[in-house]
Amino acid sequence: MENQNVQTTLYIKTDLNLLLECLKYQMDCPLSQKEALITIYSICQQNSEASEYFREIGGLRFINDLAKSSIHCVVKEAALFTLGIIIESNVYCQQSLCTSALFEDLILVLINKDSGVNLKRMSVYVILVLVSNNKYGQTYVRETGCIGLLLQLFRTTLSTSEMNLSDENTYQSYQLWSSVCSTLCACVNNPQNDNQSICCAVFPYAKEWLESCTEPEIVRPICSFVGLTVANNSTVQKYFVSVGGLDTLAKVLNKLMHDSCISQSSTKLAVVVTKTLDACIANDSAMGGTLAKYHTVSELLNLLSNDTLDTGEKMSIILTIGHCTEVCGKNFFFFLTLF
């Protein structure tokens, strides 16, 4: 078995060397380069050892240069996606490419009017894997101004009046917007950092989205973004409340609870909203008083009684109820009668 693993590793290394040579000698054949890149990322995907070897033979740097220099969009897209796959697979690859220069290169792609939606999405994906669980990437994304560009994309990529995801153009824009949301989540979390204070600038836009649309495709990414941005940060939590965000979440919860009678997906989405509510008041239970007029505790108790929820989901609801009623102290049961 050990000999077989060694042989497989040798085959992989041989293939990666040949593929790198193919990339170098097919500069005038974009389709061949694209095919080589596809094969490279299929080998390196979730294979840390293969990704590290590809870095050692100069493949990572070559693909990075190719993404910048190629005049062919299909090659640029494939090169960026391959970079992302390799960075995601191996922490040393992440560290070697995590430079302000790369963030600046990605910014140029995002602001280029000739960049298509898919090319922008590949660029955002590379930013995502650079900042994920990486304080240095999170610092670079802030210092280069890249995070400001991501926030601009959050505000402008998708319109609340254009939510027909069956339309191909709208769906492509939605995919870019969703990728931006995921990247912003990674910018503020693991570890939590100063990016939280920067990202709260788009809370009014997040609020508008929640007010105009309760589809899972919108509510889930926004709740993830808001929940991580406010997490353990009382200043950011207070700002979210000040722009009416907590009121909006409570209203969304009420609507989902009403819809949950006929839709199981609404019940699951209500749990997502509940977790976000909890993140908003966890550090200052006094803010939970805002929720009284929306009968939020009563709605949460109804949600808790749903038999389709698993133990983890019920625990998150119980924690939220606890934070909502913590301000009442010994008057907890009296407080419940108000709902």
Side-chain angles (χ1 to χ4, degrees):
M1 186 66 178
E2 184 177 345
N3 290 335
Q4 185 177 358
N5 289 336
V6 171
Q7 191 173 25
T8 300
T9 300
L10 289 174
Y11 285 148
I12 289 174
K13 289 182 176 181
T14 300
D15 288 345
L16 288 174
N17 276 290
L18 291 173
L19 288 163
L20 180 56
E21 290 303 306
C22 177
L23 283 178
K24 292 178 178 179
Y25 291 102
Q26 296 289 337
M27 298 300 287
D28 296 325
C29 188
L31 291 181
S32 295
Q33 284 191 316
K34 179 184 176 182
E35 290 301 318
L37 288 164
I38 290 172
T39 306
I40 289 169
Y41 77 64
S42 67
I43 292 173
C44 294
Q45 190 167 26
Q46 296 180 340
N47 188 331
S48 179
E49 187 177 347
S51 297
E52 172 63 9
Y53 177 74
F54 194 65
R55 182 187 71 82
E56 290 174 354
I57 63 174
L60 200 59
R61 287 293 174 189
F62 183 82
I63 292 180
N64 184 30
D65 291 338
L66 186 64
K68 289 188 292 184
S69 63
S70 178
I71 61 173
H72 305 288
C73 186
V74 291
V75 175
K76 282 182 175 290
E77 290 176 3
L80 287 170
F81 186 69
T82 304
L83 277 182
I85 289 291
I86 295 173
I87 293 170
E88 192 172 18
S89 300
N90 183 275
V91 67
Y92 297 109
C93 293
Q94 182 192 55
Q95 291 173 357
S96 67
L97 279 184
C98 188
T99 63
S100 59
L102 180 53
F103 279 97
E104 289 163 0
D105 290 338
L106 294 169
I107 288 173
L108 292 177
V109 175
L110 292 174
I111 64 176
N112 190 332
K113 293 180 181 179
D114 294 328
S115 295
V117 174
N118 201 46
L119 181 58
K120 290 182 178 180
R121 189 160 64 92
M122 294 303 102
S123 299
V124 171
Y125 170 54
V126 176
I127 297 170
L128 168 63
V129 295
L130 285 172
V131 301
S132 292
N133 306 315
N134 182 6
K135 64 180 181 180
Y136 301 108
Q138 292 165 351
T139 299
Y140 285 134
V141 80
R142 179 173 65 252
E143 292 181 347
T144 59
C146 186
I147 196 167
L149 186 54
L150 290 172
L151 293 171
Q152 181 183 334
L153 289 171
F154 177 87
R155 295 191 303 265
T156 61
T157 299
L158 203 61
S159 169
T160 54
S161 61
E162 299 173 358
M163 266 306 293
N164 179 17
L165 295 183
S166 60
D167 176 76
E168 184 177 352
N169 291 332
T170 302
Y171 184 66
Q172 286 186 348
S173 295
Y174 169 76
Q175 286 186 308
L176 173 58
W177 179 83
S178 179
S179 297
V180 168
C181 289
S182 298
T183 305
L184 288 171
C185 287
C187 286
V188 300
N189 189 48
N190 287 335
Q192 293 165 351
N193 57 77
D194 292 341
N195 292 338
Q196 291 174 281
S197 299
I198 297 173
C199 285
C200 70
V202 296
F203 279 170
Y205 295 91
K207 172 177 169 283
E208 287 179 15
W209 268 111
L210 292 173
E211 288 173 340
S212 63
C213 181
T214 55
E215 295 299 317
E217 293 86 358
I218 297 297
V219 175
R220 285 183 183 275
I222 286 184
C223 280
S224 294
F225 168 63
V226 170
L228 290 171
T229 304
V230 303
N232 300 315
N233 191 317
S234 58
T235 301
V236 175
Q237 290 168 9
K238 288 175 182 176
Y239 178 70
F240 185 70
V241 173
S242 73
V243 299
L246 194 60
D247 294 81
T248 298
L249 283 175
K251 292 174 185 176
V252 171
L253 178 64
N254 287 357
K255 183 180 187 306
L256 291 171
M257 287 304 298
H258 179 268
D259 295 343
S260 66
C261 300
I262 56 175
S263 171
Q264 173 67 19
S265 64
S266 293
T267 301
K268 295 294 185 180
L269 200 55
V271 176
V272 172
V273 174
T274 297
K275 292 177 180 179
T276 308
L277 273 172
D278 189 46
C280 292
I281 64 173
N283 291 79
D284 188 354
S285 57
M287 290 191 290
T290 303
L291 302 172
K293 57 187 172 184
Y294 300 108
H295 310 288
T296 300
V297 171
S298 177
E299 296 288 5
L300 291 173
L301 289 170
N302 288 335
L303 182 59
L304 186 62
S305 66
N306 192 299
D307 294 334
T308 64
L309 301 182
D310 60 36
T311 303
E313 291 169 328
K314 290 186 176 182
M315 281 301 299
S316 66
I317 297 168
I318 292 170
L319 286 172
T320 307
I321 293 172
H323 285 133
C324 286
T325 56
E326 188 177 355
V327 69
C328 305
K330 295 180 180 179
N331 296 320
F332 169 69
F333 292 105
F334 172 73
F335 185 74
L336 285 181
T337 65
L338 300 177
F339 299 86

